[in-house]
């Protein structure tokens, strides 16, 4: 109601229009109306870097219109070449959608330079360095910087835990960061599931692992991967074949629906 009243009071206010668009996208999932207001926001403020960048993210993530998304990422960066959030989002886009790794790294560096304390950009650059460049020493440097910048950033904590587990084989520190990730966001299914796998595979603590598998599927009961991992645990460790089959079926149902 108040977003709407703000837009009615000042229908050319780019920030008000953009905030309402974000609300319609994120809370209402009304993507048709959200796009209408994103378009109105960039028409009202064609040099407003934040609104241009938000529309670019919408075009990439919701509309899957990558050419148009790139157009708006570029406009956003031109409007404010030091806008760290836009630079980092464009870097992610170049990496994941365009597979232009050199250009992606250029924009990750620009994002970090624009704001050396932005935990999200630091963490995303760390993931890029680990997954794409295989530069584990440099990746760890950026994981550490990300965690120092925001010690409660659950995604960075969980990603660093995975790195310590998979690349460094430092199981004690990995567990420390898994716990910190779960403490920071107790309903983040991926981190709960990764910690469950760690407890099962590395610690052989099956009771605690089952606790976290249950928490994982409660946090995201529609994720086929988590359902399948719990099924494997029930089959291999618990020998509870009836319950394992129940979770296998649930996982397969989700996979089937995803491909309809």
């Amino acid at each position: 109601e108040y977003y709407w009243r703000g837009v009615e009071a000042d229908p050319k206010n780019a920030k008000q229009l953009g905030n309402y668009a974000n609300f319609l996208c994120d809370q209402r999932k009304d993507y048709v109306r959200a796009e209408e207001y994103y378009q109105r926001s960039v028409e009202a403020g064609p040099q407003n870097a934040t609104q241009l960048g938000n529309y670019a993210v919408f075009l990439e993530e919701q509309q899957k219109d990558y050419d148009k998304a790139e157009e708006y990422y570029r406009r956003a960066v031109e409007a404010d070449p030091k806008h760290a959030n836009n630079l980092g989002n464009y870097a992610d886009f170049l990496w994941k959608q365009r597979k232009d790794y050199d250009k992606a790294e250029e924009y990750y560096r620009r994002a970090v330079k624009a704001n050396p304390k932005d935990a999200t950009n630091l963490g995303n650059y760390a993931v890029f360095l680990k997954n794409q460049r295989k530069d584990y020493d440099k990746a760890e440097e950026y994981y550490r910087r990300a965690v120092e910048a925001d010690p409660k950033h659950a995604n960075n904590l969980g990603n660093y835990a995975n790195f310590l587990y998979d690349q460094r084989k430092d199981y004690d520190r990995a567990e420390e960061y898994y716990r910190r990730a779960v403490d920071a966001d107790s309903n983040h299914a991926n981190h709960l599931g990764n910690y469950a796998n760690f407890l099962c595979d590395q610690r052989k603590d099956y009771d605690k692992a089952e606790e976290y598998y249950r928490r994982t599927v409660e946090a995201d009961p529609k994720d086929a991967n988590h359902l399948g991992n719990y099924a494997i645990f029930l089959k291999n460790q618990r020998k509870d074949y009836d319950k394992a089959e129940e979770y296998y079926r649930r996982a397969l149902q989700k996979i089937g629906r995803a491909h309809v």
Side-chain angles (χ1 to χ4, degrees), residues 140-157:
E140 183 157 21
E141 173 194 343
Y142 279 89
Y143 278 125
R144 287 176 174 168
R145 286 180 60 181
V147 169
E148 288 171 3
D150 184 353
K152 303 260 185 200
H153 193 299
N155 205 44
N156 287 340
L157 293 164

Side-chain angles (χ1 to χ4, degrees), residues 66-176:
Y66 300 133
D67 291 341
K68 194 171 179 181
E70 183 158 20
E71 173 194 342
Y72 278 90
Y73 278 125
R74 287 176 174 168
R75 286 181 59 181
V77 169
E78 287 171 2
D80 184 352
K82 295 188 177 181
H83 192 298
N85 196 49
N86 287 339
L87 292 164
N89 287 338
Y90 190 26
D92 291 340
F93 173 86
L94 290 165
W95 176 24
K96 294 170 185 175
Q97 309 307 338
R98 297 307 196 198
K99 315 299 181 189
D100 188 339
Y101 306 127
D102 291 341
K103 195 170 180 182
E105 184 157 17
E106 173 195 342
Y107 278 88
Y108 279 124
R109 288 175 175 168
R110 286 180 60 179
V112 169
K113 185 177 180 180
N115 185 355
K117 297 294 185 182
D118 187 306
T120 297
N121 286 334
L122 290 164
N124 288 345
Y125 188 27
V127 173
F128 173 85
L129 290 165
K130 179 187 76 127
N131 292 348
Q132 195 57 48
R133 297 304 199 196
K134 312 299 181 187
D135 188 339
Y136 300 133
D137 290 342
K138 193 171 180 182
E140 183 157 21
E141 173 194 343
Y142 279 89
Y143 278 125
R144 287 176 174 168
R145 286 180 60 181
V147 169
E148 288 171 3
D150 184 353
K152 303 260 185 200
H153 193 299
N155 205 44
N156 287 340
L157 293 164
N159 287 339
Y160 189 27
N162 292 337
F163 173 85
L164 291 166
Y165 181 21
D166 296 332
Q167 269 69 47
R168 297 305 196 200
K169 313 301 180 188
D170 188 339
Y171 303 128
D172 291 340
R173 285 182 69 218
E175 183 159 19
E176 173 195 343

Side-chain angles (χ1 to χ4, degrees), residues 187-211:
N187 290 311
H188 195 300
N190 285 343
H191 300 321
L192 291 164
N194 288 337
Y195 189 29
N197 291 337
F198 173 85
L199 290 165
C200 176
D201 299 338
Q202 190 58 43
R203 297 303 196 201
K204 313 300 181 187
D205 187 341
Y206 301 128
D207 291 342
K208 195 170 181 182
E210 183 159 19
E211 173 195 343

